[in-house]
Amino acid sequence: MRILIVEDDDIIGNGLKVGLGISGFTADLADCCEAGEAALAVGGFDAMVLDVMLPDGSGHDMLARLRRRGDTTPVLLLTALDTLPDRVRGLDGGADDHLGKPFELDEVAARLRALLRRATARADSYLEWGGVRLDPATMTAFQDGDETRLSRREFAVLHALMQHPGAILSRPRLEEKLYGFDEGVESNAVEVHVHNLRAKFGSRFIETLRGVGYRLRRPDQ
C-alpha cells in the first residue's frame, strides 16, 4: 500500500511517513502542490493524504485539478480547518475522507485502509486466498487458523498479490509497493520476500512466471 503525503510541516509530514511505515504502508512525502502533482504523475500510489493549506496553493484547488484530469486516487484531506463547511467543501470537492488536526496515527492508518477497501469494492477488512487470511490492520496472516507474523515488506508483497488474486504482478510493480522515492531498490528484494513467503505458506503458494512476474497460484491447481 503506497501512500503519497502532501504536507509542508516537516514534523507532521515525517511523523506521518514513519508512523504509516510502522503500519505497513510505503509512504512518500511532498511539501507542496507542485511536488505532489509531479509525484502523482509518476504513478504507483494507492492513496494520498493531502493537507489543505500548502505554501504554493490550496489542497482543495490541487484536488480539483486532479479530478478534472480524471485522477481517481483516493484522497484523505488532513487539515486544521475542521468546521462543518470545511468538511462539506472537501468532500464535495472530490475528497474521499476528511480528518481534522490534531489526529492520531492509528486513525489515519485505519481511514486509509477503509479508502483502499472502497477503492477495490471490498466490504471485509480481510483478504483471503488459498486458505490464507491476511489482516492489513495487524500485518498478520493466518493459515488454517494458525497465526503467521510477517515483516513489513513481506506483508507489502503478499498484500499486493492478494489484492489482485490470480493476476500477474511484475517485479517493478511489486518494487513500487516496497520502496519510496528516496530508498534504494535492492536488486533481488522481491525474490527474497517471495522466497520467505513460500517458506511460510508453501512452495506452491506463489507462482513465478519467468520474465513476466508473480501471481498467487489458484487453490485448485
Side-chain angles (χ1 to χ4, degrees):
M1 295 180 287
R2 191 165 181 199
I3 306 299
L4 177 63
I5 303 164
V6 185
E7 168 64 66
D8 66 314
D9 185 303
D10 289 341
I11 294 175
I12 294 176
N14 286 307
L16 277 168
K17 183 175 181 178
V18 172
L20 291 176
I22 293 171
S23 295
F25 296 88
T26 297
D28 286 296
L29 183 60
D31 62 0
C32 63
C33 296
E34 182 180 5
E37 292 184 55
L40 285 173
V42 176
F45 293 101
D46 298 300
M48 175 170 60
V49 177
L50 176 62
D51 189 21
V52 167
M53 293 184 290
L54 294 164
D56 60 346
S58 162
H60 290 299
D61 292 339
M62 175 183 166
L63 179 57
R65 288 192 296 273
L66 294 174
R67 295 307 190 226
R68 283 197 298 269
R69 291 200 295 265
D71 190 314
T72 60
T73 303
V75 172
L76 170 61
L77 278 181
L78 198 64
T79 175
L81 303 175
D82 195 31
T83 66
L84 176 59
D86 292 315
R87 296 195 297 273
V88 170
R89 179 187 177 189
L91 294 170
D92 283 345
D96 299 272
D97 200 356
H98 186 290
L99 185 61
K101 298 177 181 178
F103 54 83
E104 296 291 336
L105 283 169
D106 286 346
E107 184 175 3
V108 176
R111 286 175 180 264
L112 286 171
R113 287 191 293 267
L115 289 187
L116 295 172
R117 286 200 302 275
R118 292 201 291 272
T120 55
R122 288 190 300 110
D124 197 342
S125 60
Y126 295 97
L127 294 167
E128 295 190 60
W129 183 264
V132 175
R133 188 178 196 188
L134 183 67
D135 181 1
T138 62
M139 294 188 292
T140 302
F142 299 86
Q143 186 174 38
D144 300 324
D146 294 329
E147 180 179 332
T148 301
R149 300 296 299 180
L150 303 170
S151 72
R152 183 174 71 85
R153 286 182 169 155
E154 288 170 359
F155 165 78
V157 171
L158 182 57
H159 186 270
L161 291 168
M162 292 185 77
Q163 276 193 308
H164 306 280
I168 301 170
L169 300 188
S170 67
R171 188 174 77 171
R173 187 170 178 185
L174 289 172
E175 287 173 345
E176 286 182 352
K177 308 300 182 185
L178 294 173
Y179 297 100
F181 286 139
D182 56 354
E183 296 179 284
V185 179
E186 299 174 35
S187 61
N188 65 337
V190 171
E191 288 85 351
V192 169
H193 298 310
V194 167
H195 172 80
N196 292 339
L197 290 169
R198 285 174 176 151
K200 294 178 178 182
F201 301 114
S203 60
R204 293 174 54 81
F205 186 65
I206 299 175
E207 183 180 8
T208 300
L209 289 88
R210 297 199 179 278
V212 181
Y214 302 89
R215 68 181 175 191
L216 297 179
R217 188 181 296 273
R218 290 177 50 180
D220 58 353
Q221 288 183 321

